[in-house]
């Protein structure tokens, strides 16, 4: 897979920034008194209830921060390995320290008041972003260190587990107007909700609706090769996600310009569709 070996540097810098944001959020939460979530009268039972709810939120936040700390440690270790393999001098990029920063002094602004609820939501979002970046760095590690990525990115097989090839690549009679039209992929028919699988490992570059295709997934496999999976009922992956060969990425449907449940499967080389048939019947490595 053709990836820029320096992409991981910007990703790692993002991790450091995210870590700084978490610290800022914690400090801001401690600097300002917690905004009451409810209006209570001065009864002991209501005060006890408020303290109990706040205590539960603090406990949940503490657990989540511990999980994020573990993720950051794993990413730092992975970054160190990649930096070593790329022969980057140790003093040029150090994962154990925050990146240098500076700039002119600007009058400080009051720290914005942050509730425990908002803080917990922010940490949840950061956790999701860290998980995505971890997957992307692991793929980059496979490319850099040669962890059998050539085998998993080898394009072969059908994008379905059950079903049949119902339409070939090339000129055919259009199913809607009956006129000759170019069909730039192959169709595999099957039952609605059947699994659609990735035919090689790669990174999802499109996971949404597109005109004619209905719900479409596009995967970049590197070296100028992409695959497309159209007319899905349900999409199971997101843009930026790393998928493995054989992984379920969607459920079969009939969205878009379609006459029934099937997957429209395309292979593109340098952004131009080619006949997928030889890859469909290609033996896996």
């Amino acid at each position: 897979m053709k990836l820029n070996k320096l992409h991981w540097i910007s990703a790692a810098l993002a991790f450091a920034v995210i870590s700084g944001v978490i610290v800022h959020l914690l400090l801001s939460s401690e600097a300002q008194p917690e905004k009451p979530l409810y209006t209570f009268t001065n009864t002991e039972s209501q005060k006890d209830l408020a303290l109990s709810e706040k205590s539960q939120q603090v406990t949940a936040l503490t657990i989540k921060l511990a999980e994020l700390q573990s993720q950051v440690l794993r990413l730092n270790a992975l970054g160190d390995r990649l930096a070593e393999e790329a022969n980057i001098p140790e003093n040029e990029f150090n994962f154990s320290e925050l990146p240098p920063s500076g700039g002119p002094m600007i009058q400080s602004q009051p720290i914005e008041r942050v509730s425990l609820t908002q803080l917990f939501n922010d940490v949840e979002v950061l956790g999701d972003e860290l998980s995505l970046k971890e997957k992307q760095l692991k793929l980059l590690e496979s490319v850099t260190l040669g962890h059998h990525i050539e085998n998993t990115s080898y394009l072969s097989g059908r994008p379905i587990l059950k079903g049949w090839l119902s339409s070939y690549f090339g000129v055919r009679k259009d199913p809607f107007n009956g006129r000759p039209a170019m069909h730039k992929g192959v169709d595999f028919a099957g039952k609605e909700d059947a699994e659609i699988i990735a035919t090689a490992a790669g990174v999802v570059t499109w996971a949404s609706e597109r005109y004619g295709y209905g719900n479409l997934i596009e995967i970049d496999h590197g070296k100028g090769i992409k695959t497309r999976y159209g007319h899905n009922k349900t999409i199971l992956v997101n843009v930026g996600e790393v998928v493995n060969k054989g992984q379920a990425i969607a459920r079969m449907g009939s969205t878009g310009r379609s006459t029934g449940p099937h997957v429209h499967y395309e292979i593109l080389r340098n952004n131009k569709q080619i006949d997928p048939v030889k890859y469909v019947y290609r033996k896996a490595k």
Side-chain angles (χ1 to χ4, degrees):
M1 184 174 294
K2 189 175 181 181
L3 294 173
N4 190 328
K5 289 186 177 180
L6 294 180
H7 280 180
W8 64 269
I9 295 179
S10 59
L13 286 170
F15 305 148
V17 172
I18 289 172
S19 300
V21 171
I22 293 175
V23 173
H24 169 74
L25 289 172
L26 286 175
L27 290 175
S28 64
S29 178
E30 293 175 356
Q32 297 293 335
E34 173 65 15
K35 184 178 181 180
L37 298 178
Y38 308 98
T39 302
F40 296 106
T41 59
N42 293 325
T43 64
E44 291 299 324
S45 60
Q46 289 172 330
K47 288 181 180 180
D48 290 343
L49 177 60
L51 289 174
S52 176
E53 290 179 348
K54 186 176 293 186
S55 176
Q56 291 175 2
Q57 288 180 313
V58 171
T59 300
L61 182 59
T62 302
I63 294 172
K64 187 62 181 179
L65 286 174
E67 294 174 356
L68 291 180
Q69 185 180 24
S70 297
Q71 281 184 292
V72 170
L73 290 174
R74 290 197 302 271
L75 290 170
N76 285 343
L78 178 56
D80 285 336
R81 290 202 302 272
L82 290 173
E84 183 179 353
E85 288 294 323
N87 295 319
I88 296 178
E90 184 177 351
N91 59 354
E92 189 171 311
F93 200 84
N94 188 346
F95 278 86
S96 62
E97 298 177 359
L98 291 175
S101 61
M105 177 63 181
I106 300 175
Q107 184 176 0
S108 61
Q109 299 295 324
I111 298 176
E112 184 180 353
R113 193 172 188 171
V114 180
S115 70
L116 274 175
T117 301
Q118 181 60 47
L119 183 58
F120 188 81
N121 290 338
D122 291 342
V123 170
E124 283 284 352
V125 171
L126 291 174
D128 292 339
E129 292 178 359
L130 275 178
S131 296
L132 174 59
K133 295 302 180 184
E134 184 174 11
K135 289 180 180 178
Q136 292 174 330
L137 265 185
K138 283 181 178 178
L139 178 66
L140 183 57
E141 180 194 29
S142 292
V143 174
T144 304
L145 305 182
H147 291 173
H148 311 293
I149 192 65
E150 288 298 328
N151 290 340
T152 58
S153 64
Y154 181 79
L155 201 62
S156 64
R158 307 191 306 169
I160 58 172
L161 298 174
K162 294 181 180 180
W164 63 96
L165 202 162
S166 57
S167 185
Y168 286 85
F169 180 93
V171 178
R172 67 172 186 178
K173 184 173 71 172
D174 186 275
F176 289 91
N177 59 33
R179 298 175 183 175
M182 182 64 185
H183 186 227
K184 296 185 178 182
V186 293
D187 293 339
F188 288 91
K191 293 183 178 180
E192 187 174 354
D193 286 321
E195 284 189 349
I196 307 300
I197 62 173
T199 52
V203 178
V204 178
T205 54
W206 185 280
S208 184
E209 188 177 359
R210 186 181 292 186
Y211 178 75
Y213 291 93
N215 292 327
L216 174 70
I217 295 172
E218 182 178 274
I219 301 175
D220 190 333
H221 306 283
K223 299 181 180 178
I225 300 296
K226 297 179 181 179
T227 53
R228 288 177 179 168
Y229 311 77
H231 307 305
N232 303 294
K233 179 180 179 181
T234 307
I235 292 176
L236 304 178
V237 293
N238 299 304
V239 171
E241 186 172 339
V242 177
V243 296
N244 297 316
K245 184 180 181 71
Q247 178 179 333
I249 56 174
R251 297 286 180 181
M252 185 177 291
S254 185
T255 57
R257 198 170 185 269
S258 169
T259 59
H262 74 286
V263 57
H264 173 80
Y265 177 59
E266 291 182 3
I267 297 178
L268 295 86
R269 179 184 292 131
N270 298 324
N271 293 319
K272 183 179 180 180
Q273 288 96 338
I274 61 174
D275 191 348
V277 168
K278 68 176 182 179
Y279 294 92
V280 168
Y281 294 107
R282 194 183 199 184
K283 290 184 178 180
K285 283 187 177 181

